[in-house]
Amino acid sequence: MFDPVEKLKEYIRHPSISTDSTARDGMKGARDFVSGLLASMGFAVEVVPTALHPVIYAHRDGDETWPHVIIYGHYDVQPADPVKLWSTPPFEPQERDGRLYGRGSADNKGPLMVHIAAVARLLEREPGLPLRITFVVEGEEEMGSPSFGAFLEQYRDRLKKADFVFLSDTGSPRADQVVITCGLRGLVLFDLVVTGARTDLHSGLHGGVLRNPIQALAEVCASLHTPDGRVNVPGFYDDVLGVEDWERAELAKLGQGEEDYREFLGIPAFHTAKGFTPFEATRFMPTLEFNGIGGGYQGEGTKTVIPSKAFAKISCRLVANQDPEKIRAQIYQAIHDRMPKDVAYELIDQHDAVPYVVVPPDRPNTPADQSPVLANAFRATDKAVAGVFGVPPLYLREGGSIPIIADIKRVLGLDSVLLGLFLPEDNLHAPNESFHLGVMEKGIRACERVLESVARGGK
Amino acid sequence: MFDPVEKLKEYIRHPSISTDSTARDGMKGARDFVSGLLASMGFAVEVVPTALHPVIYAHRDGDETWPHVIIYGHYDVQPADPVKLWSTPPFEPQERDGRLYGRGSADNKGPLMVHIAAVARLLEREPGLPLRITFVVEGEEEMGSPSFGAFLEQYRDRLKKADFVFLSDTGSPRADQVVITCGLRGLVLFDLVVTGARTDLHSGLHGGVLRNPIQALAEVCASLHTPDGRVNVPGFYDDVLGVEDWERAELAKLGQGEEDYREFLGIPAFHTAKGFTPFEATRFMPTLEFNGIGGGYQGEGTKTVIPSKAFAKISCRLVANQDPEKIRAQIYQAIHDRMPKDVAYELIDQHDAVPYVVVPPDRPNTPADQSPVLANAFRATDKAVAGVFGVPPLYLREGGSIPIIADIKRVLGLDSVLLGLFLPEDNLHAPNESFHLGVMEKGIRACERVLESVARGGK
């Protein structure tokens, strides 16, 4: 009998930190664990080498008339720093108060285990289930999935005939309210580097003759927003799709209070694009954010230099139907036009842009041009969540970006069903990460129903 | 016979880095060296403890009718980092091409040795010279002279009856053109810290609901200058004294080319306050500079956070008659008025403000309300420089700030004669610092003549 909590504990014990080159054993341990588990369930397992961490590709084949689902997950986790803030060691899983604590418990080892357990139980009960299942479990998600696109290209012919992708790497607001994520924001990232003099200068000897690069940078950065909270780049909003009424209505059902949110953030006041509540703004509106800024002397006390260089790290979250490369060009043009001519500057693209994602769930008031299997999957998920959790799911866009969802759509043409299983209090990427064991068990039961229903529905 | 070059080599060998707590031996070595040298010349030497590095106080007393000169210097030096950029080890002095290389050779061990050697030669020739001389050599100049004000207060009664201060801790443009510095800019320093949310936030989950503190900081920083290169703070220029015609004329004699200066800085174009050439702007106009800026993620690649905090390190160079505390209050008020209300901010004073300094040399077209001894000292210096270097000195304000000059004026009421002995190519505070041995020898002869002339002039 498959015990998912014990299996998850075993899985968490492998410190699979993809960004830590000293954690190779942990990576291999986690990879071997997942490979072994899937092999023991009858899957044909391949460990596919990439430039860095291999992808686990495990398939249960079958008749071509059977529906085919790809289940995605990742076996790598975030670093555990700062370790001293953990109540129990990050890689020694512990159960407390209905939660399992440990690095990766919620992101993404627990949710992946939900899917594995659902498949295991289903196949235990019905070994001849008419469903083709392919697990794709990568090891570079916490690094931005740099090898995943190449993997998809390599396995394109074997994967593209699948019907849809099923995964849980998104969140839900409460243990009793599951969210089906139906949109993700895209992402464009770049650095802006401004150079003044050849070297840092003494601000007494030379102060007054040149424009300080920090000043030029501040002038340009300040120009990128309007006072009413919008991005001040010509054309930036041209392609932004309006928000549908049902989306606002669905969001209203979330029942979160703005005042609670403001206090959680610890800010004196919100600052959103005009006409949007905070909850709407993160989901429906694009942003331009300064992720970092640096230049000159940053230590204790003072050093009276005029720095040679200053830089800002900038990123935009994009919504449908903004094209990342078009947006990038618009911003670069605005920066070019506004940069004072008495400094030099450079714009440096940071990794590949991520397109926005729209997953059209099968709802009466959205276009339903999807395949029968996908439509059936959405219906089954809606029903399974309502049945197991007692409350129907909410269909919400999310403010974050998941590059692999866009990659899957681009390379394979497949849509994804995104079942949110982690909660705000799960502390993803933070000390004392945990996974809610009630959500875990209900998630397994819901996934089991979804997969069974997809299998019964046929092609 | 006193050999100043050999003595200077011996002096440089002590790595007296005041900011390096592991360099205590070097500090003590340099202090003992200067104390011993002055004692051997017949001075009564006291080593005056301070909170950190003692001050050497050495006096040659005499009849109250004798003029009394204080000679200032500092025995501490800058760190030698990066050591690998030095052609020869920083604390192993080497003569090459008429220069002596080594950390501190020009700042300030060489120039102080000029004064010591001048006194030594003078007293060798005329042991009964009717001149009271007090050396004050501190060990915290490269740290901003934090203990010097307290030392002056402690020794006030013994020092305030002196007639003037004579020192060389300023520069001249060329080996054949000495500058008497007749003005220094003041200095106000502070940090501006802007806080948004309680912690760094995920820019996907929360992007769009709050003002990024980097954005607020950029907006306020960008507001602090006008497009025509002036500081945009109400009242900032109210007390700025106009430039006298003779000052512009004197500066024109410098004969430096703007194009050479622009190429030296490596900037596409100058950016000065309207109506001022670059050479005028650094001397006659106040500035507001960003010495550093920081916030959020500054490493390789990307991290899509909305940072909790961002800060700028800001300083102003001030000219006559700007009051540092009035200027500070004006800037703080402007920042307060302009800071968006949806972020929090803090202004942190950085060490005591430095007032501007005006040293009125005894020139026909400047007010000559100075004492006969000081007036004589200025005349003697003018004549000695013209005689020894072959070209009369230029009387120029300098863009930098020397806190101790303002302290001496404030606490003791004394003016300083500032004889510039280091050159632009001496690499102060940089690798391969050196001192021009031709300037050294001429400087000794000029100082000798000045001191002799002051002694002859009587009270």
Side-chain angles (χ1 to χ4, degrees), chain A residues 185 197-198 203-204 206-207 209 211-212 261 263 265 271 289-293 295 297-299 301 304-305 313 317 399, chain B residues 185 198 203-204 206-207 209 211-212 261 263 265 271 282 289-293 295 297-299 301 305 313 317 399:
Chain A
R185 292 200 283 192
R198 196 190 311 281
S203 78
H206 304 288
V209 310
R211 193 186 300 261
N212 189 312
Y261 185 34
E263 280 183 12
L265 296 174
H271 180 68
E289 291 288 356
F290 305 102
N291 304 124
I293 194 164
Y297 182 68
Q298 299 187 39
T304 50
V305 291
K313 299 181 95 74
R317 299 281 174 173
Chain B
R185 292 199 284 191
R198 195 189 313 281
S203 79
H206 303 288
V209 310
R211 194 187 299 261
N212 188 311
Y261 185 35
E263 281 185 12
L265 296 174
H271 180 68
T282 54
E289 290 288 357
F290 304 102
N291 304 124
I293 195 164
Y297 182 69
Q298 299 187 39
V305 291
K313 299 182 94 74
R317 299 281 173 173

Short mmCIF file of all heavy atoms in Angstrom, two decimals, chain A residues 185 197-198 203-204 206-207 209 211-212 261 263 265 271 289-293 295 297-299 301 304-305 313 317 399, chain B residues 185 198 203-204 206-207 209 211-212 261 263 265 271 282 289-293 295 297-299 301 305 313 317 399:
data_model
loop_
_atom_site.label_atom_id
_atom_site.label_comp_id
_atom_site.label_asym_id
_atom_site.label_seq_id
_atom_site.Cartn_x
_atom_site.Cartn_y
_atom_site.Cartn_z
N ARG A 185 1.21 35.70 -15.81
CA ARG A 185 1.83 36.85 -16.46
C ARG A 185 3.14 36.44 -17.13
O ARG A 185 3.81 35.50 -16.72
CB ARG A 185 2.08 37.97 -15.44
CG ARG A 185 0.75 38.56 -14.95
CD ARG A 185 0.91 39.94 -14.34
NE ARG A 185 1.47 39.90 -13.00
CZ ARG A 185 1.49 40.96 -12.19
NH1 ARG A 185 1.00 42.14 -12.59
NH2 ARG A 185 2.01 40.88 -10.98
N ALA A 197 32.08 58.96 -15.88
CA ALA A 197 33.52 59.05 -16.10
C ALA A 197 34.14 57.66 -16.16
O ALA A 197 33.54 56.67 -15.74
CB ALA A 197 34.17 59.87 -15.00
N ARG A 198 35.37 57.63 -16.65
CA ARG A 198 36.14 56.40 -16.82
C ARG A 198 36.30 55.64 -15.50
O ARG A 198 36.25 54.42 -15.47
CB ARG A 198 37.52 56.82 -17.33
CG ARG A 198 38.39 55.78 -17.92
CD ARG A 198 39.81 56.37 -18.14
NE ARG A 198 39.82 57.67 -18.81
CZ ARG A 198 39.68 57.86 -20.12
NH1 ARG A 198 39.50 56.81 -20.91
NH2 ARG A 198 39.72 59.07 -20.64
N SER A 203 34.69 63.59 -5.40
CA SER A 203 33.56 64.50 -5.61
C SER A 203 33.91 65.95 -5.28
O SER A 203 33.19 66.87 -5.65
CB SER A 203 32.35 64.07 -4.77
OG SER A 203 32.52 64.45 -3.42
N GLY A 204 35.03 66.16 -4.59
CA GLY A 204 35.48 67.53 -4.35
C GLY A 204 36.22 68.06 -5.56
O GLY A 204 35.92 69.14 -6.07
N HIS A 206 36.22 67.04 -8.65
CA HIS A 206 35.54 67.02 -9.94
C HIS A 206 34.03 67.29 -9.86
O HIS A 206 33.36 67.33 -10.89
CB HIS A 206 35.79 65.69 -10.64
CG HIS A 206 37.24 65.37 -10.82
ND1 HIS A 206 38.04 66.04 -11.73
CD2 HIS A 206 38.08 64.50 -10.18
CE1 HIS A 206 39.29 65.57 -11.64
NE2 HIS A 206 39.33 64.65 -10.71
N GLY A 207 33.51 67.42 -8.66
CA GLY A 207 32.06 67.61 -8.52
C GLY A 207 31.58 68.93 -9.10
O GLY A 207 32.02 69.98 -8.66
N VAL A 209 31.21 69.17 -12.70
CA VAL A 209 31.53 69.24 -14.14
C VAL A 209 30.82 68.18 -14.97
O VAL A 209 30.77 68.29 -16.19
CB VAL A 209 33.05 69.15 -14.41
CG1 VAL A 209 33.80 70.13 -13.54
CG2 VAL A 209 33.58 67.75 -14.22
N ARG A 211 27.60 64.96 -15.29
CA ARG A 211 26.39 64.37 -14.75
C ARG A 211 26.75 63.05 -14.08
O ARG A 211 27.37 62.18 -14.69
CB ARG A 211 25.35 64.12 -15.85
CG ARG A 211 23.95 63.81 -15.32
CD ARG A 211 22.99 63.43 -16.42
NE ARG A 211 22.83 64.47 -17.39
CZ ARG A 211 21.81 65.34 -17.42
NH1 ARG A 211 20.85 65.26 -16.53
NH2 ARG A 211 21.74 66.26 -18.35
N ASN A 212 26.34 62.92 -12.84
CA ASN A 212 26.55 61.70 -12.06
C ASN A 212 25.70 60.59 -12.68
O ASN A 212 24.52 60.78 -12.95
CB ASN A 212 26.09 62.02 -10.63
CG ASN A 212 26.42 60.94 -9.64
OD1 ASN A 212 26.17 59.76 -9.88
ND2 ASN A 212 26.97 61.35 -8.51
N TYR A 261 -4.53 42.67 3.59
CA TYR A 261 -3.44 42.55 2.62
C TYR A 261 -2.42 43.68 2.84
O TYR A 261 -1.21 43.46 2.84
CB TYR A 261 -4.01 42.58 1.20
CG TYR A 261 -3.02 42.34 0.08
CD1 TYR A 261 -1.93 41.49 0.23
CD2 TYR A 261 -3.19 42.97 -1.15
CE1 TYR A 261 -1.04 41.28 -0.82
CE2 TYR A 261 -2.31 42.76 -2.20
CZ TYR A 261 -1.23 41.92 -2.02
OH TYR A 261 -0.34 41.72 -3.06
N GLU A 263 -1.85 45.32 5.56
CA GLU A 263 -1.09 45.07 6.79
C GLU A 263 -0.07 43.96 6.61
O GLU A 263 1.03 44.02 7.14
CB GLU A 263 -2.05 44.74 7.94
CG GLU A 263 -2.67 46.00 8.52
CD GLU A 263 -3.56 45.71 9.71
OE1 GLU A 263 -3.51 44.58 10.24
OE2 GLU A 263 -4.30 46.63 10.11
N LEU A 265 1.52 43.30 3.90
CA LEU A 265 2.66 43.89 3.17
C LEU A 265 3.42 44.88 4.04
O LEU A 265 4.62 45.08 3.85
CB LEU A 265 2.18 44.59 1.90
CG LEU A 265 1.52 43.72 0.83
CD1 LEU A 265 0.96 44.59 -0.30
CD2 LEU A 265 2.53 42.70 0.26
N HIS A 271 -0.59 51.38 -4.08
CA HIS A 271 -0.32 52.25 -5.23
C HIS A 271 -0.53 51.40 -6.47
O HIS A 271 0.37 50.69 -6.92
CB HIS A 271 1.12 52.77 -5.14
CG HIS A 271 1.51 53.68 -6.27
ND1 HIS A 271 0.98 54.93 -6.43
CD2 HIS A 271 2.39 53.50 -7.29
CE1 HIS A 271 1.52 55.50 -7.50
NE2 HIS A 271 2.36 54.65 -8.04
N GLU A 289 8.95 46.83 -12.85
CA GLU A 289 9.50 46.90 -11.50
C GLU A 289 11.01 47.01 -11.53
O GLU A 289 11.67 46.46 -12.41
CB GLU A 289 9.14 45.65 -10.68
CG GLU A 289 7.68 45.50 -10.33
CD GLU A 289 7.19 46.47 -9.26
OE1 GLU A 289 8.00 47.25 -8.71
OE2 GLU A 289 5.98 46.44 -8.97
N PHE A 290 11.53 47.71 -10.52
CA PHE A 290 12.97 47.76 -10.30
C PHE A 290 13.31 46.67 -9.29
O PHE A 290 12.94 46.76 -8.13
CB PHE A 290 13.36 49.15 -9.80
CG PHE A 290 12.90 50.24 -10.73
CD1 PHE A 290 11.78 51.00 -10.44
CD2 PHE A 290 13.57 50.46 -11.93
CE1 PHE A 290 11.33 51.97 -11.32
CE2 PHE A 290 13.13 51.43 -12.81
CZ PHE A 290 12.01 52.19 -12.51
N ASN A 291 13.99 45.63 -9.75
CA ASN A 291 14.33 44.53 -8.85
C ASN A 291 15.59 44.81 -8.05
O ASN A 291 15.83 44.21 -7.02
CB ASN A 291 14.50 43.24 -9.65
CG ASN A 291 13.28 42.89 -10.47
OD1 ASN A 291 13.37 42.73 -11.68
ND2 ASN A 291 12.14 42.82 -9.82
N GLY A 292 16.41 45.71 -8.57
CA GLY A 292 17.62 46.07 -7.86
C GLY A 292 18.23 47.31 -8.47
O GLY A 292 17.94 47.67 -9.62
N ILE A 293 19.03 47.98 -7.65
CA ILE A 293 19.74 49.16 -8.14
C ILE A 293 21.07 49.20 -7.41
O ILE A 293 21.17 48.76 -6.25
CB ILE A 293 18.90 50.44 -7.92
CG1 ILE A 293 19.45 51.62 -8.73
CG2 ILE A 293 18.82 50.80 -6.42
CD1 ILE A 293 18.44 52.77 -8.85
N GLY A 295 25.31 51.17 -7.35
CA GLY A 295 26.31 52.05 -7.92
C GLY A 295 27.04 52.78 -6.81
O GLY A 295 26.45 53.07 -5.77
N TYR A 297 29.45 53.96 -3.70
CA TYR A 297 29.79 53.44 -2.39
C TYR A 297 28.54 53.06 -1.63
O TYR A 297 27.61 53.86 -1.49
CB TYR A 297 30.57 54.49 -1.61
CG TYR A 297 31.01 54.00 -0.25
CD1 TYR A 297 31.96 52.99 -0.15
CD2 TYR A 297 30.46 54.51 0.90
CE1 TYR A 297 32.34 52.51 1.09
CE2 TYR A 297 30.85 54.05 2.15
CZ TYR A 297 31.78 53.04 2.23
OH TYR A 297 32.16 52.56 3.46
N GLN A 298 28.50 51.83 -1.12
CA GLN A 298 27.30 51.36 -0.42
C GLN A 298 27.61 50.91 1.00
O GLN A 298 26.75 50.34 1.68
CB GLN A 298 26.65 50.22 -1.20
CG GLN A 298 26.18 50.63 -2.59
CD GLN A 298 25.39 49.53 -3.28
OE1 GLN A 298 24.60 48.84 -2.66
NE2 GLN A 298 25.62 49.36 -4.56
N GLY A 299 28.84 51.12 1.46
CA GLY A 299 29.22 50.62 2.78
C GLY A 299 28.80 51.54 3.91
O GLY A 299 28.03 52.47 3.74
N GLY A 301 29.16 54.43 6.71
CA GLY A 301 29.77 55.75 6.67
C GLY A 301 29.73 56.36 5.29
O GLY A 301 28.77 56.17 4.54
N THR A 304 33.23 59.96 -0.53
CA THR A 304 32.72 61.03 -1.37
C THR A 304 33.20 60.88 -2.81
O THR A 304 33.98 61.67 -3.32
CB THR A 304 33.12 62.40 -0.81
OG1 THR A 304 34.52 62.39 -0.55
CG2 THR A 304 32.37 62.68 0.46
N VAL A 305 32.70 59.83 -3.45
CA VAL A 305 33.03 59.60 -4.86
C VAL A 305 31.87 59.99 -5.76
O VAL A 305 30.72 60.02 -5.34
CB VAL A 305 33.35 58.10 -5.14
CG1 VAL A 305 34.65 57.71 -4.50
CG2 VAL A 305 32.21 57.20 -4.69
N LYS A 313 18.31 46.81 -12.25
CA LYS A 313 17.81 45.55 -12.79
C LYS A 313 16.28 45.69 -12.86
O LYS A 313 15.64 45.92 -11.85
CB LYS A 313 18.23 44.38 -11.89
CG LYS A 313 19.76 44.25 -11.80
CD LYS A 313 20.20 43.09 -10.94
CE LYS A 313 20.45 41.87 -11.77
NZ LYS A 313 21.69 41.90 -12.57
N ARG A 317 6.18 42.40 -15.73
CA ARG A 317 5.21 41.30 -15.82
C ARG A 317 4.19 41.71 -16.89
O ARG A 317 3.70 42.84 -16.88
CB ARG A 317 4.50 41.12 -14.47
CG ARG A 317 5.43 40.76 -13.33
CD ARG A 317 5.82 39.28 -13.34
NE ARG A 317 6.84 39.02 -12.31
CZ ARG A 317 7.27 37.81 -11.99
NH1 ARG A 317 6.78 36.74 -12.61
NH2 ARG A 317 8.19 37.65 -11.09
N GLY A 399 -0.52 36.30 -10.73
CA GLY A 399 0.43 37.36 -11.09
C GLY A 399 1.80 36.86 -11.49
O GLY A 399 2.55 37.56 -12.18
N ARG B 185 35.79 73.94 -0.44
CA ARG B 185 34.35 73.76 -0.32
C ARG B 185 34.02 73.04 0.99
O ARG B 185 34.82 72.27 1.52
CB ARG B 185 33.81 72.97 -1.52
CG ARG B 185 33.91 73.79 -2.80
CD ARG B 185 33.01 73.29 -3.91
NE ARG B 185 33.50 72.09 -4.56
CZ ARG B 185 32.99 71.60 -5.69
NH1 ARG B 185 31.96 72.20 -6.28
NH2 ARG B 185 33.46 70.50 -6.23
N ARG B 198 7.34 45.35 4.19
CA ARG B 198 8.08 44.83 5.34
C ARG B 198 9.28 43.98 4.91
O ARG B 198 10.33 44.03 5.54
CB ARG B 198 7.09 43.94 6.11
CG ARG B 198 7.43 43.54 7.49
CD ARG B 198 6.43 42.48 7.98
NE ARG B 198 5.03 42.79 7.73
CZ ARG B 198 4.29 43.63 8.47
NH1 ARG B 198 4.83 44.24 9.50
NH2 ARG B 198 3.02 43.85 8.17
N SER B 203 7.83 39.61 -7.19
CA SER B 203 7.29 40.64 -8.08
C SER B 203 6.14 40.12 -8.94
O SER B 203 5.41 40.91 -9.53
CB SER B 203 8.39 41.20 -8.98
OG SER B 203 8.66 40.31 -10.05
N GLY B 204 5.96 38.81 -9.00
CA GLY B 204 4.81 38.28 -9.72
C GLY B 204 3.57 38.29 -8.83
O GLY B 204 2.52 38.80 -9.20
N HIS B 206 2.99 40.02 -6.12
CA HIS B 206 2.59 41.30 -5.53
C HIS B 206 2.84 42.50 -6.45
O HIS B 206 2.51 43.62 -6.06
CB HIS B 206 3.31 41.51 -4.21
CG HIS B 206 3.08 40.39 -3.23
ND1 HIS B 206 1.87 40.21 -2.59
CD2 HIS B 206 3.87 39.37 -2.80
CE1 HIS B 206 1.94 39.12 -1.82
NE2 HIS B 206 3.14 38.60 -1.93
N GLY B 207 3.42 42.27 -7.61
CA GLY B 207 3.75 43.39 -8.48
C GLY B 207 2.52 44.09 -9.02
O GLY B 207 1.71 43.46 -9.69
N VAL B 209 0.74 46.37 -6.84
CA VAL B 209 -0.09 46.89 -5.75
C VAL B 209 0.60 47.97 -4.92
O VAL B 209 -0.05 48.67 -4.16
CB VAL B 209 -0.58 45.77 -4.79
CG1 VAL B 209 -1.20 44.64 -5.58
CG2 VAL B 209 0.53 45.25 -3.89
N ARG B 211 4.08 50.91 -4.41
CA ARG B 211 5.17 51.66 -5.03
C ARG B 211 6.49 51.02 -4.60
O ARG B 211 6.75 50.86 -3.41
CB ARG B 211 5.14 53.13 -4.62
CG ARG B 211 6.05 53.99 -5.52
CD ARG B 211 6.14 55.41 -5.00
NE ARG B 211 4.87 56.06 -4.96
CZ ARG B 211 4.41 56.91 -5.90
NH1 ARG B 211 5.16 57.21 -6.92
NH2 ARG B 211 3.22 57.46 -5.77
N ASN B 212 7.27 50.67 -5.58
CA ASN B 212 8.60 50.10 -5.36
C ASN B 212 9.49 51.17 -4.71
O ASN B 212 9.54 52.31 -5.19
CB ASN B 212 9.14 49.70 -6.73
CG ASN B 212 10.43 48.91 -6.68
OD1 ASN B 212 11.36 49.30 -6.00
ND2 ASN B 212 10.46 47.81 -7.42
N TYR B 261 40.69 67.94 -20.37
CA TYR B 261 40.02 67.54 -19.12
C TYR B 261 38.89 66.56 -19.42
O TYR B 261 38.74 65.54 -18.73
CB TYR B 261 39.50 68.80 -18.42
CG TYR B 261 38.89 68.59 -17.06
CD1 TYR B 261 39.38 67.62 -16.16
CD2 TYR B 261 37.82 69.38 -16.62
CE1 TYR B 261 38.82 67.46 -14.91
CE2 TYR B 261 37.26 69.23 -15.36
CZ TYR B 261 37.76 68.26 -14.52
OH TYR B 261 37.20 68.09 -13.28
N GLU B 263 38.65 64.56 -21.92
CA GLU B 263 39.22 63.25 -22.29
C GLU B 263 39.77 62.52 -21.08
O GLU B 263 39.67 61.30 -20.97
CB GLU B 263 40.31 63.43 -23.36
CG GLU B 263 39.70 63.61 -24.73
CD GLU B 263 40.75 63.68 -25.83
OE1 GLU B 263 41.93 63.36 -25.55
OE2 GLU B 263 40.38 64.07 -26.95
N LEU B 265 38.59 62.68 -18.07
CA LEU B 265 37.44 62.13 -17.36
C LEU B 265 36.80 60.99 -18.15
O LEU B 265 36.21 60.08 -17.55
CB LEU B 265 36.40 63.22 -17.09
CG LEU B 265 36.81 64.37 -16.18
CD1 LEU B 265 35.72 65.44 -16.14
CD2 LEU B 265 37.11 63.88 -14.76
N HIS B 271 28.69 68.64 -17.98
CA HIS B 271 27.35 69.02 -17.54
C HIS B 271 27.54 69.90 -16.31
O HIS B 271 27.68 69.40 -15.20
CB HIS B 271 26.55 67.76 -17.20
CG HIS B 271 25.14 68.02 -16.74
ND1 HIS B 271 24.17 68.53 -17.56
CD2 HIS B 271 24.56 67.86 -15.53
CE1 HIS B 271 23.05 68.66 -16.87
NE2 HIS B 271 23.26 68.26 -15.64
N THR B 282 33.84 73.56 -10.48
CA THR B 282 34.32 72.77 -9.33
C THR B 282 34.77 73.66 -8.18
O THR B 282 34.83 73.20 -7.05
CB THR B 282 35.51 71.87 -9.71
OG1 THR B 282 36.51 72.68 -10.31
CG2 THR B 282 35.09 70.77 -10.65
N GLU B 289 25.68 65.61 -4.92
CA GLU B 289 26.09 64.41 -5.65
C GLU B 289 25.55 63.15 -4.98
O GLU B 289 25.41 63.09 -3.76
CB GLU B 289 27.63 64.29 -5.69
CG GLU B 289 28.34 65.31 -6.55
CD GLU B 289 28.17 65.10 -8.05
OE1 GLU B 289 27.54 64.12 -8.47
OE2 GLU B 289 28.69 65.96 -8.79
N PHE B 290 25.30 62.15 -5.80
CA PHE B 290 24.95 60.82 -5.30
C PHE B 290 26.24 60.01 -5.25
O PHE B 290 26.81 59.68 -6.28
CB PHE B 290 23.93 60.18 -6.23
CG PHE B 290 22.71 61.05 -6.40
CD1 PHE B 290 22.53 61.82 -7.54
CD2 PHE B 290 21.77 61.14 -5.39
CE1 PHE B 290 21.44 62.65 -7.68
CE2 PHE B 290 20.67 61.97 -5.52
CZ PHE B 290 20.51 62.73 -6.67
N ASN B 291 26.71 59.72 -4.05
CA ASN B 291 27.96 58.97 -3.90
C ASN B 291 27.73 57.47 -4.01
O ASN B 291 28.66 56.72 -4.30
CB ASN B 291 28.61 59.28 -2.56
CG ASN B 291 28.85 60.77 -2.37
OD1 ASN B 291 28.40 61.35 -1.39
ND2 ASN B 291 29.54 61.40 -3.31
N GLY B 292 26.49 57.06 -3.76
CA GLY B 292 26.20 55.65 -3.88
C GLY B 292 24.69 55.43 -3.86
O GLY B 292 23.94 56.29 -3.39
N ILE B 293 24.29 54.31 -4.40
CA ILE B 293 22.87 53.95 -4.38
C ILE B 293 22.80 52.43 -4.29
O ILE B 293 23.68 51.74 -4.81
CB ILE B 293 22.15 54.49 -5.65
CG1 ILE B 293 20.63 54.45 -5.48
CG2 ILE B 293 22.58 53.74 -6.91
CD1 ILE B 293 19.89 55.31 -6.49
N GLY B 295 19.98 48.81 -3.43
CA GLY B 295 18.68 48.27 -3.05
C GLY B 295 18.39 47.04 -3.88
O GLY B 295 18.83 46.93 -5.02
N TYR B 297 18.18 43.30 -5.54
CA TYR B 297 19.14 42.31 -6.01
C TYR B 297 20.17 42.95 -6.92
O TYR B 297 19.82 43.63 -7.87
CB TYR B 297 18.40 41.18 -6.74
CG TYR B 297 19.33 40.10 -7.21
CD1 TYR B 297 19.95 39.27 -6.29
CD2 TYR B 297 19.62 39.93 -8.55
CE1 TYR B 297 20.83 38.28 -6.71
CE2 TYR B 297 20.48 38.94 -8.98
CZ TYR B 297 21.09 38.12 -8.05
OH TYR B 297 21.95 37.15 -8.46
N GLN B 298 21.44 42.72 -6.62
CA GLN B 298 22.50 43.34 -7.40
C GLN B 298 23.47 42.32 -7.98
O GLN B 298 24.51 42.69 -8.52
CB GLN B 298 23.28 44.35 -6.54
CG GLN B 298 22.42 45.49 -6.02
CD GLN B 298 23.23 46.56 -5.31
OE1 GLN B 298 24.32 46.90 -5.71
NE2 GLN B 298 22.69 47.08 -4.23
N GLY B 299 23.16 41.04 -7.83
CA GLY B 299 24.09 40.00 -8.28
C GLY B 299 23.98 39.71 -9.77
O GLY B 299 23.34 40.43 -10.53
N GLY B 301 22.77 37.82 -13.11
CA GLY B 301 21.48 37.30 -13.52
C GLY B 301 20.33 38.08 -12.91
O GLY B 301 20.41 39.29 -12.76
N VAL B 305 12.47 40.29 -7.40
CA VAL B 305 11.91 40.79 -6.14
C VAL B 305 11.48 42.25 -6.29
O VAL B 305 11.97 42.98 -7.14
CB VAL B 305 12.93 40.72 -4.99
CG1 VAL B 305 13.20 39.28 -4.61
CG2 VAL B 305 14.22 41.46 -5.34
N LYS B 313 23.30 57.46 -0.92
CA LYS B 313 24.26 58.19 -0.11
C LYS B 313 24.54 59.50 -0.85
O LYS B 313 25.01 59.48 -1.98
CB LYS B 313 25.53 57.38 0.11
CG LYS B 313 25.26 56.06 0.84
CD LYS B 313 26.51 55.25 1.12
CE LYS B 313 27.07 55.52 2.47
NZ LYS B 313 26.31 54.94 3.58
N ARG B 317 28.81 69.61 -1.79
CA ARG B 317 29.97 70.49 -1.61
C ARG B 317 29.41 71.91 -1.56
O ARG B 317 28.60 72.29 -2.42
CB ARG B 317 30.95 70.35 -2.77
CG ARG B 317 31.51 68.95 -2.92
CD ARG B 317 32.63 68.66 -1.94
NE ARG B 317 33.04 67.26 -2.02
CZ ARG B 317 34.08 66.75 -1.37
NH1 ARG B 317 34.82 67.51 -0.57
NH2 ARG B 317 34.37 65.47 -1.48
N GLY B 399 38.15 72.55 -5.09
CA GLY B 399 36.82 71.94 -4.97
C GLY B 399 36.64 71.04 -3.77
O GLY B 399 35.53 70.78 -3.33
#
